[in-house]
Amino acid sequence: MLVAAFANLGIAVAKAVAGVISGSSAMLSEAAHSVADTVTEVLLLTSLKRSVRPADEDHPLGHGPERYVWALLAAVATFVGGAVFSLYDGIHTLTHGEDLGDPLVSYIVLAVAFVLEGYSLRTGLRQVRGEAAHHRVSFGRYLRRTPDTAVKAVVMEDSAALAGLLLAAGGLLGGQLTGSGVWDAAASLCIGALLLYVAWVLGRSNAEFLVGRPLPRTVRDRIRAELVADEHIEAVLELTTLVQGPSEALVAAKVDFRDVSTAAQIEWACERAEQRLREEFPIVRRVYLDPTPGFAQRRSEGLNPWP
């Protein structure tokens, strides 16, 4: 990812030089896009480094959610560094016009950048397809719901980069054929709108995990089934799950154990349940089971039937 950041920075410089030579606002917007991608790569790398730190006394549940903080900052960088500049430059070109220069350098830079971005996107798509096949879900569903927002960011930003390069080339070509800067300005505005959408989607995804997102409903149903499969567990009264990272989730449940079970049997039932959940769902790292009286028992004791 660090190599990709330096590559994006080099591409940004090349686009900026080509934009100055050709006078293209779309090329300058693409330069801002690449700068934003560079910042994003650095922030995502930081998120990966900091989130894998082990749990300690001050952070008993680990540092997993920290990756979503840095990934959210990466989405903000895409918004501020790419979208805002592109929209501003497009509006400025529409209102003040621009002097078009030789677009040859811009076409060369766009072609090289397209090859590099295409290779990066191919690598990201291959990883997403492999993960989707492993979890037995469709490609689209995995990309929408994956807790690995770093992979999602790479795929979306590389896709936006390719689309942005095509838009910039279209703006250059339109300006070259018509002699009007309107085409170039329109391309810059479209690039800005595209980056705005990417920033919004990535920002919302990371915000969901920071607020707290549970495991999918199908997984929660299977967890309930695994718990009640134990002979000493009567029912699961309340189940709470929390995704803490791409491969880390917490499970907490209020469990009604059979009244005839002894304390030792309840203890071993909890141990067996935790072991089965960890084996069946590798993402589950922490399991907390709270022995709770069932509805009928609570009524008989004159307590609120809802724990």
Side-chain angles (χ1 to χ4, degrees):
M1 192 169 288
L2 191 59
V3 174
F6 281 112
N8 275 325
L9 185 59
I11 293 173
V13 173
K15 287 178 179 177
V17 172
V20 171
I21 294 175
S22 64
S24 169
S25 64
M27 281 302 299
L28 293 177
S29 296
E30 272 300 296
H33 184 176
S34 293
V35 171
D37 283 351
T38 302
V39 175
T40 296
E41 295 283 356
V42 172
L43 290 174
L44 291 179
L45 181 61
T46 302
S47 75
L48 295 177
K49 293 286 187 181
R50 294 183 64 85
S51 63
V52 296
R53 290 178 298 166
D56 54 39
E57 186 176 352
D58 294 327
H59 304 86
L61 297 182
H63 298 261
E66 189 168 348
R67 80 161 48 212
Y68 300 121
V69 176
W70 292 96
L72 181 61
L73 292 176
V76 173
T78 299
F79 171 75
V80 176
V84 172
F85 179 86
S86 298
L87 293 172
Y88 166 79
D89 203 44
I91 294 172
H92 184 270
T93 300
L94 281 177
T95 56
H96 294 79
E98 66 181 4
D99 297 324
L100 298 176
D102 186 4
L104 178 60
V105 176
S106 295
Y107 285 129
I108 294 174
V109 171
L110 289 174
V112 173
F114 193 88
V115 172
L116 295 176
E117 296 287 1
Y119 179 78
S120 178
L121 177 61
R122 177 173 172 268
T123 303
L125 290 176
R126 181 179 297 175
Q127 180 178 350
V128 172
R129 288 195 185 98
E131 291 293 329
H134 175 73
H135 291 89
R136 299 178 182 177
V137 296
S138 66
F139 173 87
R141 179 174 176 79
Y142 178 81
L143 195 60
R144 287 193 305 271
R145 303 293 296 175
T146 177
D148 192 349
T149 55
V151 171
K152 185 174 184 176
V154 169
V155 171
M156 289 197 66
E157 289 176 357
D158 285 345
S159 300
L162 290 178
L165 293 171
L166 293 176
L167 288 169
L172 282 170
L173 183 61
Q176 189 178 7
L177 295 176
T178 64
S180 171
V182 173
W183 291 90
D184 200 49
S188 184
L189 291 173
C190 289
I191 292 171
L194 179 64
L195 293 177
L196 191 65
Y197 172 74
V198 171
W200 177 74
V201 171
L202 295 179
R204 185 184 64 175
S205 297
N206 287 287
E208 284 181 355
F209 286 106
L210 285 174
V211 173
R213 201 173 84 177
L215 290 169
R217 182 177 297 276
T218 54
V219 177
R220 299 200 301 269
D221 291 340
R222 289 170 59 193
I223 289 176
R224 287 180 180 273
E226 283 291 335
L227 290 174
V228 298
D230 191 280
E231 59 179 337
H232 295 287
I233 295 179
E234 185 76 30
V236 177
L237 306 177
E238 182 181 323
L239 177 65
T240 300
T241 64
L242 179 64
V243 176
Q244 297 181 292
S247 58
E248 187 174 353
L250 177 148
V251 173
K254 288 182 176 293
V255 178
D256 178 19
F257 288 90
R258 298 187 185 279
D259 296 338
V260 295
S261 299
T262 64
Q265 289 172 329
I266 291 175
E267 289 174 351
W268 283 110
C270 290
E271 289 295 317
R272 288 194 301 269
E274 180 175 356
Q275 184 177 354
R276 287 201 308 271
L277 290 180
R278 288 176 179 270
E279 292 175 352
E280 183 69 19
F281 310 98
I283 192 175
V284 175
R285 298 291 183 86
R286 298 175 179 85
V287 179
Y288 301 106
L289 301 180
D290 178 17
T292 305
F295 299 132
Q297 185 177 353
R298 295 180 70 88
R299 286 196 184 96
S300 67
E301 297 291 336
L303 301 174
N304 184 353
W306 299 99

